[in-house]
Amino acid sequence: MRLAVMQPYLYPYPLYFHLIASVDRFVVFDCVQFPRRGRVHRAPLPGGGWLTLPLAPQPRDTTIQALRFADAAQRLWSDRLAALPWLGPELTARLAPLGADVTGYLVDQLRGVCARLGITTPLLRSSALDLPRAARGTDRVIAAARTLGADHYVNLPGGRPLYDPATFAAAGLELSFLAPYAGPHASLLHALATQPVAALQDELARLPAPERALL
């Protein structure tokens, strides 16, 4: 069983969804520290800038699952979406309701994109897996794989410097990576608003399959 583990991103680039489509289970890593300069809470906009979720101030060591929306977040979010008329009514309606759970909102958006792209891989939250609290980094990823019975771990190309194939092999896991993405889309947000879904599906279908890491 192939597994991937990634932090939830707000409308990430196509390779993120290619990763989801390449595995049998996808774990949304929400039990780790929130990276304030990362992609969890924001999506890049064409021409520069970000579409950023209105989050409440959080302590530096806050985990992703503990994130909270700011006061008046729904009004702030509606204003931010209204400033992007190219989103169109369908995507705006999909984005608009924040709810109360930040991670739940992010996972719901990921599932919505997967549904539009025809990706059926189940998405699970790591906070629901009861992973060992002491496990960090590679050990936490391996713990998730063992909990779910995976024998093959797949990651984005940025994980190559982080993950040692021998460590995974010792844990009974094959390790593979996707090739770097050279396409035009920094985020699927603008792509979904301006391109036919069939064109995006075709782009994903043409991306290379995961490549096994050499020991």
Side-chain angles (χ1 to χ4, degrees):
M1 190 267 278
R2 287 187 170 193
L3 178 74
V5 175
M6 280 292 298
Q7 297 168 2
Y9 288 177
L10 181 65
Y11 284 81
Y13 68 145
L15 198 63
Y16 189 108
F17 292 97
H18 182 46
L19 177 65
I20 297 176
S22 298
V23 297
D24 302 300
R25 295 286 187 278
F26 184 87
V27 173
V28 175
F29 223 17
D30 66 341
C31 61
V32 294
Q33 185 174 343
F34 167 54
R36 295 170 182 273
R37 296 187 179 183
R39 291 282 302 271
V40 169
H41 63 310
R42 58 184 186 168
L45 296 174
W50 300 88
L51 175 64
T52 304
L53 288 173
L55 300 181
Q58 331 271 338
R60 184 165 297 277
D61 60 351
T62 297
T63 60
I64 294 172
Q65 65 175 318
L67 291 174
R68 296 178 293 106
F69 286 117
D71 294 338
Q74 188 61 68
R75 177 182 57 78
L76 293 169
W77 187 237
S78 296
D79 289 345
R80 293 174 189 180
L81 297 180
L84 304 174
W86 51 261
L87 282 174
E90 181 180 350
L91 192 51
T92 298
R94 173 71 188 168
L95 282 158
L98 287 177
D101 177 13
V102 174
T103 304
Y105 177 83
L106 293 168
V107 172
D108 182 64
Q109 296 301 317
L110 289 173
R111 285 176 175 152
V113 176
C114 285
R116 292 190 69 177
L117 296 175
I119 299 171
T120 59
T121 305
L123 273 59
L124 313 171
R125 291 173 63 162
S126 64
S127 56
L129 299 181
D130 195 25
L131 301 178
R133 291 188 177 183
R136 295 288 185 271
T138 298
D139 290 339
R140 200 162 187 81
V141 169
I142 290 174
R146 285 175 169 165
T147 297
L148 294 172
D151 57 10
H152 191 164
Y153 181 70
V154 185
N155 207 326
L156 294 176
R160 284 187 181 273
L162 303 176
Y163 296 133
D164 175 25
T167 301
F168 280 80
L173 289 166
E174 183 177 340
L175 177 64
S176 295
F177 294 98
L178 295 180
Y181 176 71
H185 306 299
S187 166
L188 273 189
L189 184 64
H190 187 258
L192 284 169
T194 59
Q195 294 196 18
V197 170
L200 298 174
Q201 290 174 321
D202 182 64
E203 179 183 354
L204 290 181
R206 288 185 281 106
L207 294 175
E211 181 180 280
R212 184 176 181 180
L214 299 177
L215 293 173

